[in-house]
Amino acid sequence: MNGSRERTRELIRAIVAGLQPNPNYEIVICPSFVFLPDAAETLAASCVGLGAQNVCDQDQGAYTGEVAGDMLAELGCRWAIVGHSERRQLYGETNALVASRFAAAQRHRLTPIFCVGETLEEREAGATEAVLDEQLRAVFDHQGAQAFRSAIIAYEPVWAIGTGRTATPEQAQGVHAYIRSRVAEHDAGTAAELRILYGGSVKPENAQTLFEQPDVDGGLIGGASLQAEDFLAICQAGNC
Ligand code: PGA
């Protein structure tokens, strides 16, 4: 929740103008809901996709304040973030609700960008894998492992989001490999194809070493995406 309508327009225009189309990576911008129509217009003739920052778990009805998947699809969205840690922590979204939002996204042909990750306390208590297991299990139970065929997972350690404290490439790689192995236990083919993004203080300076890790397939960029120059530099780092 940053910026204004004008600032968002300028930012997206600057990103589109500075991007070199590259078949090696896919770029998606997920602005606030209210800026989606403007963003759709600016992105229309570009290679950049459009996504939302959340999606309602219900398809229609009396759910004041929520935005339904078909509304997002109608605006041109093809992706929806679900389970961002701020939604989980600040707005009490449970694993079960996040799994329902994941399912709703897929019902409307939006690819869920499913965020998982542990807090600092959980990491220090050695509970990272248990926390991830719970978060993943909610989707396995609700949707089945095959749901990950058309989804993206974003590993976002809560302690690294907006803090300037990035996971080391080794820490990110370790967790990404773990996530892939958990999906592989259910469906090896899906796990091999699955894109797992890293998010949490990705910057131009650290992007390349993170993206070089074998199980890190890209990034979910927060603060650094607010400056076109930084975001473009990170995209460039993704070309590895
Ligand atoms: P950050 O945010 O890049 O500013 O840490 C990531 C996120 O909000 O997903």
Side-chain angles (χ1 to χ4, degrees):
M1 204 170 69
N2 283 288
S4 64
R5 185 177 185 186
E6 197 43 44
R7 170 79 191 109
T8 304
R9 276 190 184 137
E10 279 168 19
L11 178 60
I12 297 178
R13 272 194 215 117
I15 289 171
V16 170
L19 265 182
Q20 316 287 345
N22 188 320
N24 294 334
Y25 53 73
E26 193 167 30
I27 294 167
V28 175
I29 293 182
C30 301
S32 296
F33 288 128
V34 290
F35 300 140
L36 285 169
D38 283 350
E41 212 178 294
T42 312
L43 296 177
S46 80
C47 58
V48 180
L50 184 65
Q53 296 182 4
N54 209 347
V55 56
C56 186
D57 59 317
Q58 305 293 324
D59 293 340
Q60 61 169 15
Y63 300 98
T64 304
E66 291 286 326
V67 181
D70 65 345
M71 297 176 181
L72 297 172
E74 196 180 344
L75 290 179
C77 287
R78 287 179 45 221
W79 286 267
I81 297 173
V82 296
H84 191 281
S85 68
E86 287 148 18
R87 301 301 315 172
R88 293 175 185 270
Q89 296 212 307
L90 304 176
Y91 296 94
E93 293 196 12
T94 60
N95 285 334
L97 175 57
V98 172
S100 298
R101 291 188 187 275
F102 182 119
Q106 290 189 327
R107 281 198 299 279
H108 298 285
R109 295 199 172 77
L110 303 169
T111 301
I113 302 172
F114 171 56
C115 300
V116 296
E118 80 289 3
T119 62
L120 186 58
E121 297 71 45
E122 289 162 345
R123 173 163 279 261
E124 286 175 345
T128 299
E129 293 183 354
V131 169
L132 294 169
D133 284 348
E134 284 299 302
Q135 294 171 337
L136 292 167
R137 186 176 309 128
V139 174
F140 289 138
D141 289 353
H142 194 274
Q143 291 274 88
Q146 292 182 353
F148 287 107
R149 275 192 193 157
S150 51
I152 291 172
I153 295 182
Y155 169 56
E156 298 213 302
V158 180
W159 46 272
I161 297 178
T163 59
R165 189 175 161 188
T166 320
T168 64
E170 295 72 27
Q171 283 173 323
Q173 169 55 27
V175 175
H176 283 225
Y178 179 74
I179 292 171
R180 202 180 298 283
S181 73
R182 292 315 308 246
V183 177
E185 280 170 21
H186 295 261
D187 183 338
T190 298
E193 295 294 317
L194 180 65
R195 285 185 285 177
I196 307 176
L197 312 181
Y198 169 80
S201 298
V202 178
K203 305 182 214 76
E205 308 84 68
N206 59 25
Q208 184 157 353
T209 49
L210 286 161
F211 297 163
E212 277 169 359
Q213 303 304 308
D215 286 295
V216 177
D217 304 309
L220 180 49
I221 320 301
S225 67
L226 300 175
Q227 299 297 332
E229 202 179 305
D230 287 353
F231 185 69
L232 289 167
I234 292 170
C235 295
Q236 196 55 36
N239 189 25
C240 57

